[in-house]
Structure formats: structure tokens, C-alpha cells
Amino acid sequence: MPADKQRLEREVVAMRVAKELPDGGYVNLGIGIPTLVSGFVAEDSVVFYHSESGVLNCGPLADEGEEDIDLINAGGQFLQPVPGMVFFSTVDGFAMIRGGHVDVTVLGAHQVSAKGDLANWMLPERGVGNIGGAMDLAAGAKQVIVAMEHTDRHNHSKIVEECDYPITGKACVSLIVTDLAVMQPTEQGLVLKEVAPGWTPEEVQELTGARLILAPDLKEYEL
Amino acid sequence: MALGKVYPSPEEALADVFDGATILVGGAVGAGLPENLLRALSNGGARGLTLVYSAGAGSISSTAGNSSGKSSIESLVMEGRVSRIISPMPFPPNAGGQIEDSWRQGEIQIEILPQGVLAERLRAGGAGLGGVFLPTALGTRFQEGRERREIDGKSYLLETPLKADFALLKARAADTFGSLVYQGSGRNWGPVMAMAARIGVAEVGRICEPGGLDPEAVVTPGIFVNRLVECP
């Protein structure tokens, strides 16, 4: 059964996403697997991290005992002060996002559709949720990458033909990286580009709620 | 001429908060949260408040929130002082807590909106604009009831201005004219909320005489700030 097979660790998913970040780019990381991405950027590459909490050039997370409540990212994590860090108002933080100045955002998701619709702010059974900055990021960032587990805790696919959860943005996701595969939403449908080591495209399809189109150059997860 | 912007205590700075007032609360997940002013709001007794905040409900760290383990905003809700919340993140990060319970029991109304929409609605309110067209939330349930407009081939939704009676802010330092400099990511909502309220109230670490702040470093000019309390 594919459901019992070994999937990739969250860190490996983050490592794969890190390869997508452009050298010199401005990047906004969401909560969950996305926060891990900064740990895997190549050492010779410079990435400027943006937080809508009003920080640009965010450094690494603060060490225990060094936390400063006035130095946090949008996820509420404490940051280390680093040279070149700047602060600004939330209004400016969202101008950077909607104005097309942020190159990539990496977000988690509850569901992503084959066309790239993103649902990540509310679970229908709860009936309410925090939106935060996700809708502005979905609408404004030049590129939206989703990093998430392929299935939810009931082993239901988080990748679907059409989202039945309330959506955050329409046709906004350009790449989906999961613990099983790398996929690209297109107008024709969802293209399977890479599969995790030890997995066949058929096994990935079995756990995917949308029909996968095999990329001509389909390959093993490339780190 | 005495400006009289400096108040001796948070309670005195908020003495005229009335039942049904709309109050902007600066800060986000603890950074820039005006805890002293929120405590004074609690001590003051006004009810039926509308609170507008970004993400102040959670006590995400030992330094945010008060000794009860609840944030000051949760405490105000538990005291039955709040009738309405307007926020992109009304609940603590992982659990809804008291705020969600109160909402489910129909004790408070909650308007959830995207964070960047709140920012621009406040800016429109503070800058005297009739509204602003945003690309945010197109195709989502939040577009319902909003005017849609095509501008230069792109779609936008009209958002209306948001204004308030009071803004509660936290800053590192002020001069007696009310000009503010902030601390780190605690700046967040201060500048726009100061603009959007009729009465801007700031708790600051230090109050100096005019000339004590580098004019190039001032973030919020004193025209937007009516009251100051020193809370070292």
C-alpha cells in the first residue's frame, strides 16, 4: 500500500523549495514547513526575507534567552538582530507584497487545486479562522509556492480538482512541493514534475485527488 | 502654550472612553502591543466596545500577554466589554480560546478581513480617501458585496475607509509634541492606526522635550498623536 510507504521528511521538502528561491530575491515565508526553508538556502546565495510584520532582511531565529518581543516575524517567532535589517509599518509591508516587490512567497495549505487555487485559511468544520496576510500574499507575490504534506491526517489528498474549502486565492499557486512530489498547476491541469525516491508516478496518483499529467522530463525529486 | 498631551497615567489618558467606542489596538502577536493602555481600558469600565486589531489575541510568548496567560484582549472579551471585533487574526494562533467561545455563544460579533485590506482601509480612513481598490481576495468569499472594477485590465475590489474614536499605540519614545519613534517590529500598526483615529494615545518608554528626537528618525509626526503616557 502506498499509504504505508516512507515519505520525505519536512526538512527535505523545505530543502527542495529552497532551490526555487532566486539569488538576490525578496522572499516571504509562511508558517509550517515554509519557515524551515531559510535553513537550506545555498551558502553562496543571498535571499532577503520579508515579513509583513514590518521587517526586511530578517535574520535567523533568536537563541533561547535572547528573545526580544519587539523583534518578531509575522509568525510570532523571535528574530536575531542582524546588520542590514530594516523596520517599516504594516501598510508598507503589504505595499511590498501587493506592489509586486516580493518575488516569492512560500505558504502552507489545506488544499490546492489542479488549477492552482489555494485554500489555507479556514477548515470548514471550524467555520471560522484567521486569515492573516495570506490573501494579500496570494494576490500580490510574483510567485506563490506551496510547501505541505501531500495528504491530511486522515490520509485524504490535499491536492484536489476543485477546492471545497474556502479559498485564499484563485489560480495563484505556481508550484506545489509535497513529501511525495513536485507539481505544477497549469491551465491544462496538474503536471507531475518530480516524485519522491522509491515512489512511482502511479503510487503518487493513487494518493492525489486530481488527475496528474506526467511531465515529459519527469524525474526523481531533485535536491 | 501648554499642549497638554502628556498624561500622568494610562487610566487618565483613557478616562473619556465611552460605551460603544471603536478602538484601534496597535501591535501584532505581542510586538508593539500597548499592554498598559489595554489594562487601563479594562480598569475604565467602558462596554460595548468595537476592537480593531491585527493579531493581538494570542499570548504567544511569556513576555506577551499578562500573568493570567491570557492576552489583554482576551481578558477584555472575558470581562464582557467587547461587542465586536474587526481583525484578520481574531483568534490565538492554534486555538480559538475565549474569543471563539464568545463568538459561538453570540456574545460578540467578529468581522474577519485580510490583513492588508485592514491596513489599506485604515490608511484610507486616516488619509481622507473615499475608499481604495485592492486586488486582494478576488474570487474568494470576501468579494461578496464588494464593488468590482476593472482598471487597466486588472480586477480590483472596492474597500471602504475605516475610522475609529481612539487608537492605542506603543512606541519607544516621544517628544512632548507627540512625535513618535518605534521599536523594531513593534512599529507595525502604529503609523496607520495613529492616522485613522480621532484620538491617538501612545504609551512610550520615554518622553523628551522637542528637539530630543532626530527629526529625520521620527516615524509618526505629532499631528496624529493626541495623548502620551510614559511607561518605562
Side-chain angles (χ1 to χ4, degrees):
Chain A
M1 267 296 288
D4 301 328
K5 283 181 72 165
Q6 181 76 36
R7 303 186 188 191
L8 296 171
E9 303 283 338
R10 292 157 60 86
E11 286 74 14
V12 180
V13 176
M15 205 181 292
R16 177 63 189 81
V17 172
K19 274 186 52 191
E20 298 293 322
L21 305 186
D23 194 11
Y26 291 93
V27 174
N28 182 298
L29 301 178
I31 299 165
I33 295 175
T35 34
L36 302 173
V37 171
S38 61
F40 298 103
V41 171
E43 271 176 31
D44 58 351
S45 162
V46 179
V47 173
F48 301 105
Y49 295 103
H50 166 274
S51 170
E52 64 271 27
S53 62
V55 189
L56 198 58
N57 311 333
C58 302
L61 298 184
D63 295 325
E64 215 175 306
E66 301 284 313
E67 298 97 341
D68 174 357
I69 189 60
D70 287 321
L71 196 46
I72 59 173
N73 64 21
Q77 296 172 303
F78 297 103
L79 299 170
Q80 280 181 30
V82 294
M85 188 177 242
V86 288
F87 305 114
F88 42 85
S89 75
T90 309
V91 173
D92 289 345
F94 281 99
M96 292 172 194
I97 293 169
R98 280 190 251 91
H101 310 286
V102 171
D103 296 294
V104 179
T105 186
V106 186
L107 300 173
H110 297 319
Q111 284 184 332
V112 186
S113 82
K115 294 189 202 82
D117 295 352
L118 169 68
N120 77 348
W121 74 273
M122 188 182 110
L123 294 167
E125 60 266 30
R126 188 172 168 198
V128 74
N130 286 326
I131 297 177
M135 286 194 183
D136 298 277
L137 283 160
K142 279 194 239 171
Q143 202 193 344
V144 179
I145 298 176
V146 164
M148 64 177 188
E149 274 97 22
H150 204 89
T151 56
D152 66 17
R153 62 195 138 113
H154 309 295
N155 213 30
H156 294 146
S157 175
K158 294 169 77 167
I159 294 152
V160 292
E161 290 291 354
E162 295 284 346
C163 295
D164 48 17
Y165 290 12
I167 67 166
T168 308
K170 270 196 102 61
C172 57
V173 177
S174 61
L175 198 70
I176 309 168
V177 182
T178 74
D179 48 1
L180 293 183
V182 178
M183 292 147 290
Q184 189 174 26
T186 69
E187 279 180 27
Q188 288 72 42
L190 193 60
V191 177
L192 179 65
K193 295 176 70 80
E194 298 172 28
V195 293
W199 287 73
T200 65
E202 294 71 28
E203 288 169 337
V204 171
Q205 176 67 79
E206 208 176 306
L207 289 171
T208 305
R211 193 178 64 83
L212 294 169
I213 302 165
L214 304 193
D217 58 343
L218 175 66
K219 55 194 170 199
E220 190 169 278
Y221 219 83
E222 200 166 63
L223 293 172
Chain B
M1 181 202 126
L3 278 165
K5 287 193 177 182
V6 181
Y7 283 65
S9 70
E11 281 75 13
E12 283 161 278
L14 297 180
D16 57 346
V17 172
F18 50 90
D19 289 354
T22 296
I23 300 175
L24 310 177
V25 182
V29 272
L33 198 64
E35 287 285 354
N36 292 289
L37 291 171
L38 285 168
R39 207 170 301 127
L41 194 59
S42 172
N43 294 339
R47 310 182 75 83
L49 301 173
T50 294
L51 296 185
V52 183
Y53 60 84
S54 169
S59 41
I60 54 117
S61 72
S62 55
T63 44
N66 53 30
S67 54
S68 68
K70 297 279 179 198
S71 71
S72 304
I73 287 173
E74 270 185 301
S75 298
L76 281 165
V77 170
M78 287 171 75
E79 291 160 16
R81 314 283 296 286
V82 178
S83 63
R84 190 154 180 258
I85 287 171
I86 301 174
S87 174
M89 302 183 75
F91 312 109
N94 298 317
Q98 182 64 36
I99 293 173
E100 187 168 336
D101 291 348
S102 296
W103 172 75
R104 288 193 189 284
Q105 286 157 26
E107 293 162 2
I108 58 172
Q109 294 180 315
I110 297 183
E111 179 185 342
I112 306 173
L113 75 182
Q115 202 161 29
V117 171
L118 175 62
E120 292 300 335
R121 287 187 64 191
L122 289 169
R123 202 192 106 71
L129 309 184
V132 58
F133 283 99
L134 288 162
T136 308
L138 274 166
T140 76
R141 60 166 63 175
F142 287 90
Q143 72 178 20
E144 287 160 27
R146 285 172 171 77
E147 182 187 333
R148 184 177 170 136
R149 180 85 63 92
E150 310 297 315
I151 302 170
D152 291 339
K154 276 193 71 181
S155 297
Y156 299 88
L157 299 173
L158 175 63
E159 295 289 345
T160 53
L162 182 57
K163 291 198 259 193
D165 300 302
F166 297 89
L168 313 189
L169 314 167
K170 182 184 174 187
R172 176 160 56 95
D175 66 18
T176 53
F177 287 174
S179 295
L180 304 179
V181 293
Y182 295 91
Q183 179 73 40
S185 54
R187 179 184 307 190
N188 54 51
W189 291 86
V192 76
M193 285 186 170
M195 291 171 68
R198 193 164 51 83
I199 300 173
V201 188
E203 61 172 81
V204 300
R206 179 175 68 87
I207 299 174
C208 61
E209 291 301 316
L213 301 178
D214 175 359
E216 297 290 348
V218 167
V219 177
T220 295
I223 191 169
F224 297 126
V225 180
N226 306 81
R227 300 175 187 174
L228 299 166
V229 190
E230 200 168 53
C231 299

